[in-house]
Amino acid sequence: MSILMALVVFLVGKWIVRRITNLLVSVLRKINGMDETLVKFLENIVYYILMIVVILAALSELGIETTSFMAILGAAGLAIGLALQGSLGNFASGVMIILFKPFKVGDVVTAAGVTGSVQEVSIFNTIMITPDNQKIIVPNSAITNDSITNINANPTRRVDLVVGIGYDDDIKKAKNVLNSIVEADERVLKEKGITVAVSELADSSVNFVVRAWVNTPDYWAVKFDLTETIKITFDNEGISIPYPQQDVHHHNQA
């Protein structure tokens, strides 16, 4: 009779476990952007944990003392947890990245000291491609334990340039030239405003700050083009771009 009851407990328990895991999978897949790898992983974890409970219940119906089994399982779980501490940390971080989405595949980010385009986000690590086409695999825990800069998360970015002129140059002329250069670039979003202003009286130069908004994909091209155009135009207009220098005075002592 006890064998029959144990078999019934096992079969019914297994059926209930399967229904629970199917319900869990259904709920997880309704979450927008939920990674399929994470769904499968959680499904297996929940399934095996519940099946252990069912097996212990079936053994109990057979009159077998399950306390020792639970103690062994607890000790084994602790040992495995300590051995896989780093991997479990990466897994937890991977779950956080997938759920909270600080970035997505294709975004350019700076995370864990690495700047690159996100190629893949998995449970344990994130694969990034650097601007010079290196493939870097970053542990997820290193990403979540550091600040994350999502460079192209927003549709627009501001180009910031610092341009120095000599103290003998005409400030108003230089300012007008800089304004003209920025306004002439069709990629600059004029409606968001352009800033050209004296920001610092430095040791060797009068520094202007030049700020202009552009669409994010145009950022680097506009920055490089403006820098080149400013140098060429300043040369044509006779405006100098000084380099750091020092005046050394030598005094002869009688």
Side-chain angles (χ1 to χ4, degrees):
M1 187 65 179
S2 59
I3 296 177
L4 180 61
M5 284 299 299
L7 183 60
V8 170
V9 169
F10 178 78
L11 293 177
V12 173
K14 185 177 181 181
W15 179 81
I16 294 174
V17 168
R18 180 50 62 189
R19 291 296 299 271
I20 291 174
T21 52
N22 287 341
L23 178 62
L24 174 65
V25 169
S26 177
V27 171
L28 290 176
R29 284 176 175 162
K30 289 180 180 178
I31 299 176
N32 185 32
M34 175 60 69
D35 185 77
E36 186 63 25
T37 304
L38 177 59
V39 172
K40 288 293 185 183
F41 185 86
L42 292 177
E43 178 188 8
N44 291 332
I45 289 293
V46 172
Y47 177 80
Y48 288 118
I49 290 176
L50 293 179
M51 281 304 300
I52 290 174
V53 175
V54 170
I55 292 171
L56 290 176
L59 291 175
S60 180
E61 289 296 328
L62 291 174
I64 298 175
E65 181 60 46
T66 58
T67 305
S68 58
F69 283 101
M70 294 179 66
I72 293 172
L73 288 174
L78 178 61
I80 293 172
L82 291 174
L84 300 177
Q85 185 175 5
S87 297
L88 291 176
N90 286 327
F91 167 74
S93 298
V95 172
M96 291 176 61
I97 292 172
I98 291 171
L99 290 179
F100 296 107
K101 296 187 179 302
F103 52 80
K104 62 182 183 299
V105 172
D107 283 351
V108 178
V109 303
T110 297
V114 178
T115 298
S117 175
V118 178
Q119 184 183 56
E120 180 183 344
V121 180
S122 65
I123 294 299
F124 295 102
N125 53 59
T126 295
I127 299 176
M128 300 171 64
I129 304 298
T130 63
D132 57 348
N133 206 33
Q134 296 184 69
K135 181 178 181 179
I136 299 182
I137 301 173
V138 185
N140 286 332
S141 59
I143 294 176
T144 56
N145 288 333
D146 198 1
S147 60
I148 302 172
T149 301
N150 194 327
I151 296 172
N152 61 346
N154 296 319
T156 59
R157 288 186 67 186
R158 192 180 71 188
V159 176
D160 287 9
L161 297 174
V162 176
V163 181
I165 66 171
Y167 273 92
D168 294 332
D169 291 310
D170 189 328
I171 290 180
K172 291 184 178 180
K173 178 182 178 181
K175 186 174 182 178
N176 290 334
V177 169
L178 290 171
N179 266 310
S180 299
I181 292 172
V182 177
E183 289 176 355
D185 195 313
E186 296 180 353
R187 295 165 296 182
V188 172
L189 304 177
K190 315 298 192 301
E191 65 276 10
K192 294 181 73 69
I194 297 171
T195 300
V196 177
V198 175
S199 62
E200 182 185 14
L201 301 177
D203 293 338
S204 304
S205 62
V206 177
N207 291 338
F208 283 89
V209 61
V210 179
R211 294 172 178 168
W213 289 89
V214 298
N215 291 318
T216 298
D218 295 331
Y219 176 83
W220 286 109
V222 172
K223 185 170 185 176
F224 293 152
D225 289 346
L226 286 179
T227 302
E228 180 179 345
T229 304
I230 288 170
K231 176 63 170 71
I232 293 173
T233 306
F234 273 19
D235 288 345
N236 293 335
E237 295 291 335
I239 301 173
S240 64
I241 300 178
Y243 52 86
Q245 55 184 308
Q246 289 182 332
D247 292 332
V248 179
H249 301 275
H250 178 71
H251 298 279
N252 290 323
Q253 293 182 350

